[in-house]
Amino acid sequence: MPEGPSILIIKEILAPQITGKKILNASGNAKIDMTQLLNKKIIELRSWGKHLLIILPDCTIRIHFLLFGTYSIDEQTKPDRSLRLKLEFEKKQIYFYTCSVKLLTEDIDLLYDWDADVLSESWSSVNARKKLKQMPGALVCDALLDQQVFSGVGNIIKNEVLYRIKLHPETRIGKIPPRKLTSLIKEARNYSFDFLKWKKEFTLKKHWLAHTKKICTRCQLPLTKKYCGNTKRRSFFCSNCQVKYQ
Ligand SMILES: [Zn+2]
């Protein structure tokens, strides 16, 4: 699943190409009213966690890339059955595949909690801490994937952050010592920026220390792979150096 930094990269690529441009045609198999998009000018592109938001004067197109969503510019690279939305401009076409497309008519500033986005300038670690305090029984592996707390964090970021701060994925939030909780919140944002930088350099995988890895580089011991928590996503961790506070 594309994580927050990947969506930010897509936004940075698309924004200069379509901002201010008028939609001349909209098609695809997304269940939205395509006529609502016709002749509308793109005001702005924004991202919130894993959502790409294309803002028009009276509505917003919300694209969620789900597990296998992709896009292409000027050339259709996937079959029609995967094509959810095609936006045509005077000299440009943008294609979105296997993603969820919705039209939002509400004010997005009311709809979205911008300070929950780990990559946003409005990110608030204080608010993240408050939200965590309200879920003492949650496992940290689930809390990190909670988009209301850490919008943009996906499974790779989860595994790498927990490895970095030496915290076991099955630790309950309420059992994490205050200083460790501070590191958790700080690194969720820090690692997301590292992810962004490495992804742009095409060196992301090379920097993985835990995700899909077999050996702990600190202990030289095998890493455990387990589908932890309610989210049942793959966790890779070292049961020797990643502490499970009880
Ligand atoms: Zn270790």
Side-chain angles (χ1 to χ4, degrees):
M1 177 192 285
E3 309 203 15
S6 306
I7 305 302
L8 188 64
I9 292 171
I10 297 173
K11 186 198 84 173
E12 287 177 356
I13 291 169
L14 292 181
Q17 308 202 45
I18 61 173
T19 306
K21 302 250 166 76
K22 196 193 280 182
I23 300 172
L24 300 179
N25 201 14
S27 53
N29 56 23
K31 303 250 178 310
I32 57 166
D33 179 8
M34 297 287 176
T35 60
Q36 265 197 285
L37 309 181
L38 288 182
N39 297 312
K40 300 282 167 62
K41 254 189 194 173
I42 310 278
I43 294 182
E44 191 190 0
L45 264 68
R46 290 171 86 168
S47 60
W48 181 85
K50 299 170 188 173
H51 297 184
L52 175 69
L53 302 167
I54 303 174
I55 301 165
L56 308 177
D58 51 5
C59 65
T60 295
I61 309 170
R62 189 207 78 174
I63 309 233
H64 188 312
F65 287 89
L66 305 172
L67 284 174
F68 305 109
T70 51
Y71 76 103
S72 65
I73 301 171
D74 290 340
E75 194 185 337
Q76 187 173 337
T77 56
K78 306 267 180 207
D80 282 346
R81 64 171 189 279
S82 314
L83 182 61
R84 301 287 176 268
L85 180 65
K86 175 184 180 186
L87 295 176
E88 293 175 62
F89 304 89
E90 198 184 2
K91 286 177 185 155
K92 189 128 316 260
Q93 291 97 42
I94 311 287
Y95 303 80
F96 294 101
Y97 314 97
T98 45
C99 52
S100 146
V101 181
K102 276 197 174 147
L103 281 189
L104 309 174
T105 48
E106 302 91 331
D107 179 351
I108 56 161
D109 281 326
L110 299 176
L111 223 48
Y112 284 94
D113 186 2
W114 298 101
D115 68 21
D117 184 339
V118 288
L119 290 168
S120 165
E121 285 171 17
S122 2
W123 162 253
S124 163
S125 53
V126 174
N127 285 351
R129 199 176 191 105
K130 277 186 200 154
K131 291 173 197 165
L132 290 174
K133 290 277 182 200
Q134 286 162 9
M135 47 171 87
L139 298 184
V140 66
C141 59
D142 290 331
L144 267 174
L145 293 174
D146 187 332
Q147 299 300 295
Q148 299 309 316
V149 187
F150 297 107
S151 172
V153 169
N155 206 40
I156 298 168
I157 298 177
K158 176 201 84 182
N159 285 326
E160 293 297 318
V161 166
L162 293 175
Y163 184 77
R164 211 178 237 197
I165 65 169
K166 300 183 187 168
L167 184 60
H168 193 289
E170 292 174 314
T171 306
R172 294 199 185 276
I173 293 294
K175 300 289 181 193
I176 303 175
R179 284 172 80 181
K180 193 59 93 177
L181 198 64
T182 305
S183 317
L184 174 76
I185 297 165
K186 205 169 129 199
E187 286 307 322
R189 179 166 162 89
N190 279 351
Y191 187 84
S192 296
F193 279 102
D194 286 342
F195 183 122
L196 179 65
K197 181 175 133 243
W198 294 330
K199 180 100 187 170
K200 284 179 176 173
E201 296 171 354
F202 304 100
T203 63
L204 178 65
K205 281 190 188 180
K206 205 180 82 184
H207 286 92
W208 288 350
L209 295 174
H211 190 73
T212 70
K213 295 290 167 183
K214 303 246 186 284
I215 303 285
C216 172
T217 54
R218 289 189 290 246
C219 311
Q220 304 306 322
L221 290 170
L223 291 175
T224 304
K225 174 184 167 186
K226 187 178 172 187
Y227 293 82
C228 299
N230 293 330
T231 40
K232 297 265 184 295
R233 302 291 306 279
R234 282 187 304 173
S235 286
F236 296 86
F237 58 95
C238 173
S239 40
N240 187 52
C241 63
Q242 289 181 245
V243 181
K244 186 173 174 180
Y245 295 91
Q246 311 266 8

